[in-house]
Amino acid sequence: MHEILYKLNNEQCEAVQYNKGPLLVLAGAGSGKTRVITHKILYLIKELGIQAKHIAAITFTNKAAAEMQERISKMSVGISTRGLVICTFHALGLKIIREEALSLGYKKNFSLLDSYDSGKIISDITQTTDKSLLRMIQTKISLWKNSFVSPEKAVSISSDEADLVHAKIYQQYQDTLTAYQALDFDDLIRLPVELFENNLAILHKWQLKIRYLLVDEYQDTNNCQYRLIKLLAGTNGLFTAVGDDDQSIYAWRGANSENLNILATDYKLLKIIKLEQNYRSTSTILNAANQVIKNNPKLFDKKLWSEFGAGSPIKIYSYANDEAEADSIARKVMLQQLHLNNKFSDYAILYRSNFQARVLEQAFRNYKIPYTISGGQSFFDKAEIKDIMAYLRLIVNEDDDLAFIRAITTPKRGIGATTLDKLSKYATFRNISMFEALFETGFAQDCNNTQLESLINFGEFINEFQFKQDKAPAGELLAELLRKINYETYLFESEEEKNAQKRLANLNSFVEWLSKKGESDNKSLIELSQMVALINLLDGNSKDEVDAVKMTTLHASKGLEYPYVFLISCEEGILPHQESINNNAIEEERRLMYVGITRAQQELNVSFCEQRRKAGSVETREQSRFIEEMGEFNITNEAARKSAKINDQIELMDKFNQLKSLIKK
């Protein structure tokens, strides 16, 4: 037993050893919740004699499950863990459904649909391809299922005509799934709950299978997930739920932080143990986090503390605009990395929404700082960027068939798939590129005149830009290219106006950046194309273990930690989000701020902008209320920032010169 409890603090030991009934472990950020769960699993097996096959640890992500499994494997020498279940909620649900398919009215070989498949069914029902509308209906159906609301009940509780329409779509959708013998993601929790509530014999069978249940990130459970936990745990409540009400940030996808309160109501003998000692951050960082979160009404009083000492002060910066903010952060990362010889992966940039990554990416590319993006799509992965890059790739290298196909079909030129298939086969036969093949007489004989004319026109269009690429500035050529292919018109004809405007803004930003790079670095179109291609290759090969700065949304950062954190764009309307301000729903936004602060181990930098460009106009911004709530910190002003920039540049040059001299030696 000594080995299992080794290096655990008093509260962690108590949580591991408690087995008299239901237990709620309130685990603050960085307080060692995964350690408690893994040690408790081994304690249950070794000290209480519960067979591993009767224990289930439930997580929310595959990554968390894998980490837990890895820790158990390293610690369980001499302890049999055969049959131990460590998986996500949905994986457990799937396991139950597979075993009980016939009782649920499904064949053993039922289909599991992904989001695209589900969206296609809804599209067929509604006879619309409007992506935003389809996403909204999908979300609505998902929330109904997660709240255990059947299609019939959704119809009966509809408060207005729109709700009723959506409920009827839900009804048709579910009928279609049944007819297809198919399940969607949310059914993986809903159906086991439905089965257990209607068939006590099967419920009893699974209660005998899972005699002790451990639940990670309990604050993120939705109503349906809680019902599943309650059914499996039974009246004795042999479970340990680990969670933190201060980190409940997923209400938008159905999570219900009230489940923490409900637990205490449903289980009168519930034991509560608080883990307040933090093993991640300095006391300065934790004090700021505590100051912010105390402004929320508390389900359970809790205050994080650390033995790491005060550490570095928190720095708060005010910037003129988002470009200045991004440039300054990039410089700070580069300078500090050179000074301290840190890894780039020691740094994280955290933001509220995915759109904020765009200007950061540009700044980091300018300083040649490696980065990865999570929690959103990389700028270079956007369709509009890939479309234009296809043209650039083809202009630079006419042998690039993949670029050829994308460019010639976007925008459409009346060239059908049959013609392109013929061209591809001819090119393969001749062992030449599709671009070269379209000019050959042999292919012309096998192609009708209309299609051939379109192909030749496209080929000559590319030839024109090939001729110009060394004779005109890159920015000028790009602008001309966009005009001549009528890409803006194509966007507005193929997309909703809002999406088209967003994509056009992305494209303009990309062109502007390439133009500036062409001018400042004296790069030709060929060099720029190669530079972007290299960035794409690096992005494509990016993994978590790569030495690169992590850019991520606050939601995606949960559970992660970094020595140096930049929490950016902390402005009213962004963090907290404008919608939460309008709906008087600030509490979850404050928890999001708390999550961001507590990702930092050693240093935390917080920033906001005084102005921000939006829809072609410049808006004045106010610093987030959460900055003031953090406590007394000095805000770095404009003059100090300009002076710092000059000093940074001098220091950077000194460092680069030192490196150059070392290389020469």
Side-chain angles (χ1 to χ4, degrees), residues 31-89:
S31 63
K33 65 179 178 65
T34 305
R35 173 176 286 196
V36 166
I37 293 172
T38 52
H39 281 68
K40 184 151 192 172
I41 289 170
L42 296 178
Y43 182 84
L44 292 169
I45 297 170
K46 190 174 181 179
E47 301 302 324
L48 300 187
I50 300 175
Q51 290 180 286
K53 66 179 182 180
H54 294 312
I55 300 170
I58 313 301
T59 69
F60 273 85
T61 66
N62 289 323
K63 185 179 178 182
E67 183 188 346
M68 212 174 281
Q69 189 70 63
E70 186 180 351
R71 290 197 191 187
I72 290 286
S73 298
K74 289 178 180 177
M75 296 164 55
S76 60
V77 179
I79 303 174
S80 175
T81 58
R82 187 177 179 184
L84 174 67
V85 175
I86 301 177
C87 65
T88 64
F89 268 102

Side-chain angles (χ1 to χ4, degrees), residues 541-573:
N541 293 320
S542 291
K543 305 290 181 188
D544 288 343
E545 65 269 15
V546 168
D547 186 24
V549 177
K550 175 61 82 58
M551 296 183 189
T552 180
T553 62
L554 285 162
H555 284 99
S557 76
K558 189 156 167 285
L560 304 176
E561 57 187 36
Y562 303 91
Y564 309 95
V565 168
F566 292 84
L567 181 50
I568 72 165
S569 304
C570 295
E571 303 151 26
E572 292 290 300

Side-chain angles (χ1 to χ4, degrees), residues 623-637:
Q623 73 174 55
S624 169
R625 67 192 71 188
F626 303 146
I627 291 178
E628 187 175 341
E629 291 176 1
M630 288 170 65
E632 295 295 323
F633 298 100
N634 293 322
I635 298 175
T636 303
N637 61 28

Side-chain angles (χ1 to χ4, degrees), residues 330-466:
R331 282 188 290 102
K332 284 180 171 57
V333 170
M334 178 62 78
L335 187 62
Q336 194 174 40
Q337 192 267 344
L338 287 169
H339 263 310
L340 303 177
N341 198 29
N342 293 331
K343 296 185 292 184
F344 283 113
S345 55
D346 290 338
Y347 297 85
I349 320 296
L350 310 183
Y351 39 81
R352 176 62 176 82
S353 302
N354 290 323
F355 78 87
Q356 294 165 260
R358 184 174 67 202
V359 67
L360 282 165
E361 282 196 82
Q362 293 176 359
F364 274 59
R365 290 194 300 269
N366 286 340
Y367 286 94
K368 297 179 173 60
I369 299 171
Y371 64 88
T372 62
I373 291 182
S374 66
Q377 187 185 38
S378 169
F379 187 69
F380 290 115
D381 284 335
K382 298 181 186 298
E384 57 272 20
I385 307 302
K386 285 182 174 290
D387 288 343
I388 300 311
M389 277 305 303
Y391 281 90
L392 297 190
R393 284 164 50 193
L394 187 60
I395 291 167
V396 170
N397 177 19
E398 62 187 43
D399 292 332
D400 189 336
D401 281 355
L402 290 174
F404 175 88
I405 291 168
R406 184 159 191 149
I408 203 168
T409 56
T410 313
K412 296 187 186 307
R413 292 179 167 78
I415 301 168
T418 304
T419 301
L420 287 176
D421 184 56
K422 284 181 182 177
L423 180 61
S424 176
K425 286 176 179 174
Y426 178 83
T428 303
F429 173 74
R430 292 275 293 115
N431 197 28
I432 57 178
S433 70
M434 292 175 72
F435 185 89
E436 187 179 349
L438 69 84
F439 291 106
E440 288 205 349
T441 307
F443 172 70
Q445 293 172 350
D446 196 34
C447 187
N448 72 56
N449 290 336
T450 304
Q451 296 281 294
L452 183 62
E453 186 179 356
S454 297
L455 286 168
I456 296 294
N457 287 341
F458 175 77
E460 289 174 348
F461 173 78
I462 297 298
N463 281 336
E464 179 188 348
F465 278 88
Q466 287 175 326

